[in-house]
Amino acid sequence: MARSGLAGAARVARWADAALGPGRDSATTDGKATLSDATAERAARDLGLTAAQVRADWDTARLAGLIEVHGDTARPGWRLRAWNRDDSAVLRGWVALFDAWSLAHPEPEEHEPAAVAEVVSAMPQVLSFLQLSAGPVPVPQLLDLLQQRVTELRTARCEIDYAPTSRDEPRQPQEPPLRQPRPALAEPAADAPLEPLLDWALRALAGVGALTYGDGQATLTPLGNWAVWVKLEQICVAAQSPAGNIEQGAEDMLRGCARLRPNAARDEYRAWLAARPVGSAVTELIGAARGEDALLRGLAFEALRVVGAPAEPEVRAVLDEPTLRPYALLWLAEHDGADPEDAHEVLTREEATWLWVDTAAAVADHGEAPLLVRHLESAVQPTVPALLDEVRAVGHPRTVQVLVALAAAHPDPALAKAVRRAAFQVHTGS
């Protein structure tokens, strides 16, 4: 259903990818992502559509993230690149359009902007009611619910005035200040009837495929029902943050997950991600991965695995950073379908060695000595001397500390001596 609803937008986005990319014709004239008349006419001729259809599909493609406009040029979004192979990209694109329903079908100009904003804020509760009803709901019932919700919003933002007091009549110490709410704000304004605004909202949501609207009633489509259910589930997940790190920044959240079992940590990642926009969450996680704590680096990419496809562009963007490259390569290999146990095959010997040192640094900083000894078994080198030779050559900034910690932890005196010698050689540059 999502593919069908976005088929026109995807077609225009593919046309724009071929015709309006860097070095080709200009997409816009005003720098605001509005198609120029000449471009719209050209697309209409190429695609066998009217210019109005092209503009409508263009706007839908932008809202769904299928096309991105930068200045005068357009380029495909990641969802268009993944369109044919990734159903989740299609669903995320439709959800982005669903979230932007009020932009996809702007309100009539005669309505007050403040009243429109109230209705847009109140519609999630109306949609939730439709989802829970699991069937057609009469419009008068939805209007009653909308009026109640708008009243709640107005009451919640009501400014409170303290009652004036006379200098000659001081208030008794035990008497609390009188609060006088402004009742005029607690009821819907008489000059802003909600019926036409509800009609606009339902028509707009029907226009993006979230519901059907007619004969005095509204019903969620299967796609709309799924989208509202997912959002309700996200709210529940966020409200049940297992370790209570939902309001923390990425670094503090990851530190809070360091001692959790893998499944509990993933639950915490999901709760944290559900409470913020995916774009800013991915940026925060990448920022945490760039820090000096190797443990947070590994945990950040575990959280990015929970994010999935939306993180792909930013993960690809860090492939040129030596510190993050091995983690990014493994993430991308698993994202493309590789078995996690075989994903390490995408790493070169040098990258695998660098990752071994980085992981050992995390164990040395946060783990127990036996864990560091067992970490030797995960090295790609067949012998300890070969490992030490390649560790010395890889140039990881934590090499000396890792080797010193390994020498202190290993029960074999001869091996510990060889590791200490390697640490000294790295330290002195010999």
Side-chain angles (χ1 to χ4, degrees):
M1 188 175 180
R3 284 186 185 279
S4 175
L6 293 174
R11 179 174 53 176
V12 168
R14 289 196 181 94
W15 177 88
D17 181 25
L20 305 178
R24 301 183 181 91
D25 291 345
S26 172
T28 67
T29 56
D30 59 3
K32 297 180 181 178
T34 302
L35 278 181
S36 63
D37 291 340
T39 303
E41 291 293 340
R42 178 185 165 197
R45 288 194 304 271
D46 292 347
L47 299 174
L49 303 171
T50 66
Q53 288 174 318
V54 168
R55 291 186 183 280
D57 288 340
W58 170 267
D59 290 340
T60 300
R62 288 175 49 225
L63 291 174
L66 298 177
I67 203 77
E68 298 173 359
V69 177
H70 300 271
D72 289 340
T73 60
R75 69 184 186 193
W78 71 266
R79 288 172 184 145
L80 184 65
R81 293 297 192 208
W83 192 262
N84 293 329
R85 61 178 172 83
D86 189 350
D87 288 343
S88 68
V90 180
L91 290 172
R92 286 179 181 275
W94 184 84
V95 169
L97 177 65
F98 170 58
D99 288 339
W101 62 268
S102 61
L103 300 178
H105 298 270
E107 75 280 359
E109 294 182 359
E110 65 267 19
H111 294 307
E112 289 290 334
V116 171
E118 288 174 338
V119 170
V120 172
S121 298
M123 283 308 292
Q125 185 163 335
V126 174
L127 290 169
S128 299
F129 181 74
L130 280 167
Q131 198 273 339
L132 293 171
S133 299
V137 177
V139 171
Q141 194 172 356
L142 296 177
L143 178 61
D144 183 59
L145 178 64
L146 179 65
Q147 289 172 332
Q148 292 180 39
R149 181 58 183 151
V150 168
T151 299
E152 291 171 0
L153 291 171
R154 290 173 176 172
T155 303
R157 71 167 185 266
C158 175
E159 295 180 3
I160 304 300
D161 289 339
Y162 289 105
T165 58
S166 169
R167 292 177 181 269
D168 298 330
E169 299 179 6
R171 183 185 291 130
Q172 296 297 325
Q174 70 275 16
E175 183 179 330
L178 285 174
R179 296 174 182 252
Q180 300 290 339
R182 298 176 182 177
L185 292 178
E187 297 293 335
D191 59 349
L194 296 180
E195 293 91 339
L197 286 172
L198 176 61
D199 179 72
W200 158 70
L202 293 176
R203 291 184 185 279
L205 286 162
V208 300
L211 52 81
T212 58
Y213 175 44
D215 297 327
Q217 59 187 19
T219 310
L220 285 180
T221 63
L223 190 58
N225 186 76
W226 166 81
V228 176
W229 181 84
V230 168
K231 290 181 181 296
L232 289 172
E233 183 186 45
Q234 288 175 341
I235 293 170
C236 293
V237 168
Q240 297 173 12
S241 170
N245 294 303
I246 190 171
E247 296 180 359
Q248 304 295 327
E251 285 195 22
D252 290 335
M253 181 275 293
L254 293 171
R255 292 185 196 282
C257 293
R259 296 288 180 180
L260 297 178
R261 293 181 179 275
N263 285 341
R266 280 189 287 272
D267 288 342
E268 190 70 3
Y269 301 150
R270 291 190 187 97
W272 187 83
L273 291 165
R276 47 193 41 79
V278 66
S280 61
V282 171
T283 300
E284 272 197 69
L285 291 170
I286 293 290
R290 288 193 177 104
E292 296 182 358
D293 194 328
L295 178 65
L296 296 192
R297 191 153 31 251
L299 293 177
F301 276 86
E302 286 299 320
L304 289 169
R305 286 179 174 86
V306 174
V307 176
E312 182 178 357
E314 290 209 45
V315 173
R316 288 194 183 280
V318 303
L319 285 174
D320 293 333
E321 299 182 32
T323 304
L324 303 182
R325 179 175 173 80
Y327 292 95
L329 286 172
L330 292 176
W331 189 98
L332 290 168
E334 293 178 26
H335 176 64
D336 290 338
D339 190 301
E341 293 184 0
D342 300 328
H344 66 277
E345 295 175 0
V346 303
L347 303 179
T348 65
R349 183 74 163 241
E350 183 179 3
E351 290 163 350
T353 302
W354 195 100
L355 182 61
W356 184 90
V357 178
D358 204 52
T359 308
V363 175
D365 290 343
H366 301 278
E368 310 263 339
L371 290 177
L372 189 57
V373 175
R374 288 202 297 272
H375 187 57
L376 274 174
E377 301 173 3
S378 66
V380 296
Q381 291 77 9
T383 65
V384 171
L387 171 65
L388 294 178
D389 286 342
E390 295 186 32
V391 163
R392 281 197 295 261
V394 81
H396 193 290
R398 295 290 305 279
T399 299
V400 173
Q401 294 95 322
V402 165
L403 294 178
V404 169
L406 181 59
H410 207 285
D412 185 332
L415 190 146
K417 182 178 180 180
V419 173
R420 275 194 300 272
R421 184 185 303 113
F424 178 76
Q425 290 170 343
V426 175
H427 176 66
T428 58
S430 59

